[in-house]
Amino acid sequence: MHLRAAFVGKMLPLLINSVGSRRISSVCRKGMEFGNVYTAERFASHLEVCVDVGSLRKVHACIFACAFGDNIFLGSKLVNAYADVGALWESRLVFDRIINRNLSLWNSAIVGYFRAGYFEEVLRLYSCLKMQDIGVDSSAVVFGLKSCHELGTMDSGRGIHGDAYKVGLHGDKFVGPSLVKLYFKYGIMEDAERVFEEIFEKDIVAYTSMITGYAQQAGFHVMKAFQIACEMHREGLDANRVSLVSLLQAAGKVEALHEGRSIHCYAMRRGIDLSDEVLETSLVDMYAKCGAKVEAVSFLRQMGRSVASWNALIAGINSYDCDRSSEALHLLCQMVHQEGLCPNSITLANVLSACCESNYAHLVTSIHGYILRRELPPDLVLTTALIDGYSRCSKVHNARELFNRLRVRDTILFNVIISAYLRNGEIDEVIKMLDWMFEEGVRPNTVTLLVLLSGFANLEDLRRGRCIHGCVLRQGLQTNMDVSNQLLHMYTKCACIDVARKFFDSMTNKDLVSWTTMMMAYVNQGHADEALALFRLMQRNGDKPDSVTLITLIQALSLLGLLEQVKEIQGHVYRIRPERDSAITSALIMAYAKCGRLDLAELTFCNVEEQTLNLWNTMISAYGMHGYCREALKLFHQLQNQNLRPDGLTFSSVLSACSHAGLVEEGKDIFNSMKSKYSIAPQEEHYSCIVDLLGRAGYLEEAYEFVNCSPLRNKTSALSALLGACRVHRNTQLGEIIGMQLLELDPQNSTTFAMVSNIYAEAGKWRDAATLRLVARERGLRKMPGYSLVESEN
C-alpha cells in the first residue's frame, strides 16, 4: 500500500509539468484506485508550488479524479491559488462548489481575494454574506473596509461602518484602525476622531493609525500627530518604527525641526536601531525638508550611508532649497567622490528634477551624458525623468527623440510627453500622442485625464476641456474626486464662473479641495463677497478649513477691506496653533498692509519666531506697497544677514519698492546682482519692474531699448508699463509706437485701446482717438471700471 502511495506521490509532480491529457487521466485513475491514501495535505502542498493557471488546472483535475472535489480544505486552497495567478473565473467556480454557511470559509476567500488585489470581489462576497444572513465578524469587516480604501468607495465604507456598529464591532481594536484609515483618506477627520474614541482597548496599532492619518493631512492639522503621540506616551505605550516614521514625515511636512529632533532623541534613548533603512531615510528626509542640511549630512556620515538615504537627502533639498540644481549636483558629487557610493536611477531622477525646476537645460544634458558614459541601464524611472527634464527645460525635441527610441512605452511616459506638449501649447502634437497611445494599445488612465484637464485649463481652452468632460462622463469617472476637482479648476481657469458654480453644486461629494477651488475662483474673478458666502456654507456643511482655505478667506477679506474679520481669523489661527504655517502668517501680513494697517503687519512679522523667506518677501512687499522703500531695502539687507538666500520673489518685491520710490541706480544694481551674485535668471516680472522704474523716472528711451534688448518672449507686461509712463511724461511719439506694438501682440485688450486713445486725445489727435474707440466698440471691448472699498461702522 505504501509503495502504491509513493507511486502516486512521484507521478503528481510529473502531472504538473506535463501537457498530455492521457498522462493526467492515467495518474488520476491511479489516485482513485488508492482512495484517500494520497491525502488532502499532500495535494495542498503541491498547490502551493503552482505558479501558473495551467499547472493549477492539472492538479485540480487530479483532485477531482481522486474524489477530493468536495473537500472544503482543498477547495479553500484552490480558491486562493486561482486568485493568486489571476484566474478569477476559475476561483469563483471552485468557491460556488464548496460554498456553505461556514463563516471561516468565507473569510478565507475574502482574505485571498484581497491579497490577490481583487477588491471588487471582496465587496461582492461581503454583500453575499449579508444577503444570506450568515453574519459578519471582524475579519470580514476589516478586509471589506480595506477594499473600500483601495477602491476609493467612501459610500460602501460608510455602509460597512454601519454594519459594524449594528453587531457591536465599531469598537473592535482591529476594525477601529481600518475605519480611521478610511476616513483620513478622505480628510473626514471628525469621523476618524470619533471612531478612535469608540475603540474599547486602544493599542499601539490604534494610536499609530491616528498618527499616520494626521501626518498625511495638510496644513496645521499635521501638528495633531504630535498631540496623539504625547497621549500615547502618557498611556504607557511606546512608539514603534511605523509611528516614528509617520511622526518624522509630519515634522518634515510642516518644517517642525524642534519636534523632528525630539523624535530623533527619543529613538536614541529607546535604543532603536537607526540603521534601519526606512527609519534612517525618514530622518534624513525630515532634516532636509526642515532646511537642516548640515544635520542631515552629519547623520548620514554616522550611519550606514545607504544610497536610499542620500536619495532622501537630495529629494528633501529639492523641496526646500531655492537654488535646487547647484545643491543637488553638489550632493551628487559628494556622494560619489567622498562617500564612494554609486548613484542609482532614483538618485539621478531626483537630480534631474532639481535641474528642470531651475530650468537649466545644460545640466540635464550633462547628466544624460554621465548616464551614457557610465553605461547605466536606462530603466523606465530614469528615462521618464530624462524626458520630463528635457521637456521642462523647453527642449521638447530632445524629449521626443528619447521617447521615439524606446521600444516599450507605458501610460506614465505618454502622460509626461503629453504634458510637455501642453506646456508648449502644441495641441496638434497632443492629439497625435493620444492617437499613438490607442494604436499601441496603451490605455489612458485617470492621470492622463488629469494632465489633459490641467493643460487645457492653463491654455484656457474651454472647447477641448469640455471634450474631456464628456470623456469623463462616458467612462463614469464623474464620481472620482480628483477628476471632479480638476474639472472644476478647468472651468474656473477658463473664467466660466457660472458654469463652475453649477458643476460645483452638482457634485455629489465635495472635499476641502472642491470648496477651496471654488472660493479661489471667486477671489480671482473679483467676487470676494461670494467667496465669503461660500466659506460660511462650507462651515454649515461641517467641513473644517485647512491652511489653503484660510489663506483664500484672508485674501477675500482683504479685498473687501474687512479689517475686523481679518483680526478674527488671526485669533482663530492662534487658537488652533498653526503659527508654524508661514503661508497663513504671510497672508495675514499682506491683508493688514492692504487694509492700511502697516503697524499690524509689522507686529505680526516681528512676533514670528522662525521667519522664513516667504515672510521676509511679504514684509518687503508690504513696505513697497506703502512707499517705504528705504525700509524695504533695509529689510532686504537684513534678510541676507539671516543666512537666507533671496529668490525671484524677493527681487520682484525689492525692485517694485525701488520703482515706487524712484530709486533708479539702486534698482539697477539690485537687478544686475541677480545674475552676477545670486545666479538667478531674471524673469518677465523683473524686467517689467525695471521698465516701470525707468519709465517713472522719465528715462523712456532707455526703457524702450531695455525692452527690445531683453530675452523676453512675451513683452506685453513690460510694454504696458512703459505705455503708461509715456502718457504721464506726454511722449506721444513713443507712446504711439508702443501702443501699436501692444495692439498687434494683444488685439483684444481693452485697456491698451483706452490708453492709446487717451495719448492721442492729450496730444490733440482727436480723430485718431475716436477711430480707436470705434474699433474697440466694434470688437465688443469694454474697459472695466476701477473701484475702491472702505469699511464703514456697520
Side-chain angles (χ1 to χ4, degrees):
M1 194 70 172
H2 291 296
L3 289 172
R4 290 179 179 178
F7 171 73
V8 177
K10 289 177 181 177
M11 289 301 291
L12 189 58
L14 292 174
L15 174 64
I16 296 172
N17 296 320
S18 69
V19 293
S21 58
R22 186 178 299 173
R23 185 171 294 178
I24 293 174
S25 58
S26 172
V27 175
C28 291
R29 281 197 301 272
K30 295 283 184 183
M32 289 185 67
E33 290 175 13
F34 309 139
N36 290 339
V37 173
Y38 199 81
T39 62
E41 286 78 6
R42 296 288 299 279
F43 275 117
S45 66
H46 285 293
L47 284 172
E48 290 174 1
V49 298
C50 292
V51 293
D52 56 51
V53 69
S55 57
L56 261 178
R57 283 171 179 163
K58 291 167 189 174
V59 179
H60 192 181
C62 196
I63 288 170
F64 262 110
C66 294
F68 283 111
D70 295 322
N71 186 287
I72 301 296
F73 170 72
L74 280 178
S76 176
K77 292 285 185 183
L78 275 166
V79 168
N80 293 339
Y82 275 125
D84 286 339
V85 297
L88 182 60
W89 185 75
E90 286 89 343
S91 180
R92 281 179 175 174
L93 285 178
V94 175
F95 184 77
D96 291 341
R97 182 179 179 86
I98 63 170
I99 190 170
N100 59 29
R101 298 184 64 82
N102 186 340
L103 183 57
S104 61
L105 173 63
W106 287 77
N107 284 341
S108 175
I110 285 172
V111 172
Y113 284 136
F114 180 83
R115 287 175 179 166
Y118 292 114
F119 308 119
E120 295 93 342
E121 194 66 16
V122 171
L123 295 181
R124 188 185 74 83
L125 288 187
Y126 182 87
S127 299
C128 291
L129 272 175
K130 288 174 61 183
M131 285 190 291
Q132 297 184 26
D133 290 328
I134 296 174
V136 294
D137 61 2
S138 63
S139 179
V141 170
V142 165
F143 284 97
L145 289 169
K146 286 182 176 181
S147 298
C148 291
H149 182 272
E150 295 295 332
L151 293 170
T153 52
M154 187 64 220
D155 292 338
S156 300
R158 285 194 182 278
I160 295 175
H161 187 183
D163 297 335
Y165 196 88
K166 289 173 188 174
V167 296
L169 288 172
H170 59 288
D172 183 82
K173 66 179 182 179
F174 299 110
V175 173
S178 298
L179 280 166
V180 166
K181 185 179 179 182
L182 180 68
Y183 284 124
F184 266 123
K185 180 181 179 179
Y186 289 91
I188 311 174
M189 284 171 281
E190 286 186 349
D191 287 356
E193 289 163 358
R194 196 176 295 115
V195 167
F196 178 71
E197 291 301 323
E198 290 174 351
I199 297 174
F200 303 131
E201 297 178 9
K202 297 183 181 68
D203 57 7
I204 186 65
V205 177
Y207 278 105
T208 301
S209 66
M210 287 294 287
I211 290 169
T212 304
Y214 279 126
Q216 292 168 350
Q217 301 308 302
F220 52 83
H221 295 298
V222 176
M223 297 303 295
K224 291 186 179 179
F226 300 106
Q227 296 175 15
I228 295 292
C230 292
E231 183 182 330
M232 180 178 75
H233 186 67
R234 286 194 295 270
E235 292 295 323
L237 294 170
D238 293 324
N240 58 18
R241 275 184 170 74
V242 180
S243 311
L244 293 175
V245 167
S246 295
L247 288 168
L248 288 168
Q249 289 172 351
K253 186 177 282 188
V254 294
E255 298 175 21
L257 183 58
H258 175 72
E259 281 78 1
R261 284 171 175 158
S262 299
I263 298 160
H264 190 176
C265 293
Y266 174 83
M268 291 174 69
R269 286 198 307 273
R270 286 273 319 282
I272 294 173
D273 184 13
L274 297 177
S275 63
D276 175 82
E277 189 168 307
V278 176
L279 192 56
E280 178 187 329
T281 304
S282 299
L283 274 164
V284 172
D285 181 63
M286 180 274 296
Y287 280 125
K289 285 180 178 175
C290 291
K293 190 190 78 172
V294 175
E295 290 179 67
V297 175
S298 174
F299 174 71
L300 268 180
R301 285 176 174 164
Q302 292 173 19
M303 305 310 297
R305 293 172 283 187
S306 66
V307 174
S309 299
W310 278 93
N311 291 347
L313 177 58
I314 294 170
I317 292 295
N318 282 353
S319 66
Y320 182 87
D321 204 288
C322 300
D323 190 10
R324 299 177 178 185
S325 54
S326 61
E327 192 60 46
L329 286 170
H330 173 72
L331 288 171
L332 177 64
C333 294
Q334 193 174 345
M335 172 185 171
V336 174
H337 299 301
Q338 295 183 20
E339 305 299 331
L341 294 171
C342 183
N344 59 18
S345 59
I346 304 295
T347 317
L348 295 170
N350 284 332
V351 177
L352 282 166
S353 173
C355 294
C356 66
E357 286 294 335
S358 303
N359 202 22
Y360 289 156
H362 66 283
L363 295 178
V364 176
T365 308
S366 299
I367 294 168
H368 192 184
Y370 172 83
I371 294 166
L372 295 173
R373 286 194 305 274
R374 296 294 299 273
E375 297 181 352
L376 295 173
D379 60 10
L380 270 177
V381 173
L382 191 51
T383 308
T384 305
L386 275 169
I387 292 172
D388 189 45
Y390 277 125
S391 65
R392 287 181 183 274
C393 295
S394 304
K395 297 279 187 181
V396 183
H397 62 281
N398 295 65
R400 181 61 182 269
E401 282 178 14
L402 264 176
F403 183 84
N404 290 343
R405 284 184 211 152
L406 295 172
R407 292 182 179 178
V408 179
R409 304 175 188 89
D410 62 359
T411 310
I412 297 171
L413 271 170
F414 273 103
N415 290 345
V416 168
I417 202 74
I418 287 170
S419 298
Y421 283 124
L422 282 169
R423 277 194 297 272
N424 278 20
E426 299 180 48
I427 302 298
D428 292 338
E429 291 296 328
V430 171
I431 303 302
K432 287 178 185 175
M433 277 294 151
L434 288 170
D435 290 339
W436 194 354
M437 275 185 87
F438 288 113
E439 284 173 13
E440 291 206 351
V442 179
R443 186 171 179 176
N445 57 11
T446 308
V447 177
T448 315
L449 294 175
L450 293 173
V451 166
L452 290 168
L453 284 169
S454 176
F456 293 141
N458 292 333
L459 294 170
E460 298 182 8
D461 191 336
L462 180 61
R463 185 176 68 83
R464 288 189 172 88
R466 280 179 166 162
C467 290
I468 302 299
H469 191 174
C471 183
V472 167
L473 293 172
R474 284 193 298 274
Q475 293 189 24
L477 291 170
Q478 62 270 23
T479 56
N480 183 296
M481 193 61 68
D482 293 331
V483 174
S484 294
N485 287 335
Q486 196 62 53
L487 275 167
L488 183 63
H489 172 69
M490 184 271 296
Y491 283 121
T492 59
K493 283 282 285 184
C494 293
C496 297
I497 196 78
D498 294 332
V499 178
R501 183 56 191 263
K502 285 180 183 176
F503 179 76
F504 175 81
D505 292 336
S506 70
M507 289 171 66
T508 309
N509 297 315
K510 301 180 185 72
D511 62 3
L512 208 50
V513 176
S514 315
W515 291 99
T516 307
T517 302
M518 198 65 230
M519 283 177 63
M520 289 174 73
Y522 278 131
V523 170
N524 293 335
Q525 293 289 323
H527 302 294
D529 51 339
E530 292 287 348
L532 194 57
L534 197 65
F535 177 77
R536 288 170 180 151
L537 183 63
M538 186 189 84
Q539 284 185 307
R540 286 198 294 273
N541 199 53
D543 290 285
K544 292 269 181 87
D546 65 356
S547 56
V548 182
T549 316
L550 287 174
I551 289 167
T552 308
L553 177 63
I554 292 166
Q555 289 171 348
L557 294 172
S558 67
L559 286 173
L560 295 168
L562 300 176
L563 179 62
E564 293 304 317
Q565 281 86 337
V566 174
K567 290 179 180 178
E568 288 176 15
I569 294 294
Q570 186 174 15
H572 170 73
V573 163
Y574 282 173
R575 280 196 302 275
I576 56 178
R577 253 197 78 188
E579 61 272 11
R580 299 178 190 280
D581 196 325
S582 63
I584 293 182
T585 311
S586 177
L588 285 166
I589 291 169
M590 187 51 68
Y592 284 132
K594 286 183 177 179
C595 290
R597 293 298 302 271
L598 191 61
D599 56 328
L600 292 177
E602 288 175 328
L603 187 63
T604 305
F605 175 76
C606 294
N607 284 338
V608 178
E609 291 181 8
E610 295 181 13
Q611 293 166 336
T612 63
L613 181 62
N614 185 35
L615 287 174
W616 286 88
N617 289 345
T618 307
M619 198 63 230
I620 290 169
S621 182
Y623 278 131
M625 187 189 300
H626 283 260
Y628 294 159
C629 182
R630 295 296 176 189
E631 285 78 0
L633 287 172
K634 183 181 176 183
L635 212 59
F636 175 67
H637 296 305
Q638 285 179 6
L639 177 153
Q640 296 168 77
N641 295 332
Q642 296 291 325
N643 292 324
L644 289 170
R645 190 180 180 85
D647 61 2
L649 187 58
T650 316
F651 285 103
S652 296
S653 302
V654 176
L655 289 172
S656 177
C658 291
S659 174
H660 283 87
L663 300 176
V664 178
E665 293 305 319
E666 288 87 341
K668 284 181 178 180
D669 290 341
I670 290 169
F671 179 82
N672 292 329
S673 72
M674 288 181 68
K675 258 192 172 181
S676 61
K677 188 176 179 181
Y678 299 101
S679 302
I680 297 175
Q683 301 300 315
E684 184 182 344
E685 61 269 19
H686 304 117
Y687 283 100
S688 297
C689 285
I690 289 295
V691 171
D692 188 51
L693 172 66
L694 295 170
R696 284 173 185 258
Y699 301 110
L700 302 179
E701 299 293 340
E702 185 182 345
Y704 186 58
E705 187 180 349
F706 180 79
V707 174
N708 289 332
C709 295
S710 70
L712 293 175
R713 288 184 179 181
N714 185 3
K715 300 179 180 181
T716 308
S717 177
L719 288 172
S720 296
L722 188 52
L723 181 61
C726 287
R727 184 188 172 192
V728 171
H729 293 282
R730 298 183 180 276
N731 191 330
T732 311
Q733 186 179 359
L734 184 58
E736 187 176 349
I737 294 170
I738 294 169
M740 290 304 105
Q741 277 187 255
L742 279 170
L743 290 175
E744 285 180 15
L745 290 169
D746 190 4
Q748 298 299 318
N749 192 323
S750 60
T751 305
T752 305
F753 274 95
M755 289 177 71
V756 177
S757 177
N758 289 336
I759 287 174
Y760 280 140
E762 289 171 4
K765 296 182 179 182
W766 297 105
R767 182 171 293 179
D768 293 333
T771 302
L772 264 184
R773 290 185 183 277
L774 181 62
V775 171
R777 198 176 297 115
E778 287 173 352
R779 293 184 183 180
L781 302 178
R782 183 184 173 191
K783 187 175 181 294
M784 292 296 292
Y787 65 92
S788 297
L789 292 171
V790 179
E791 185 178 10
S792 65
E793 291 181 4
N794 297 321

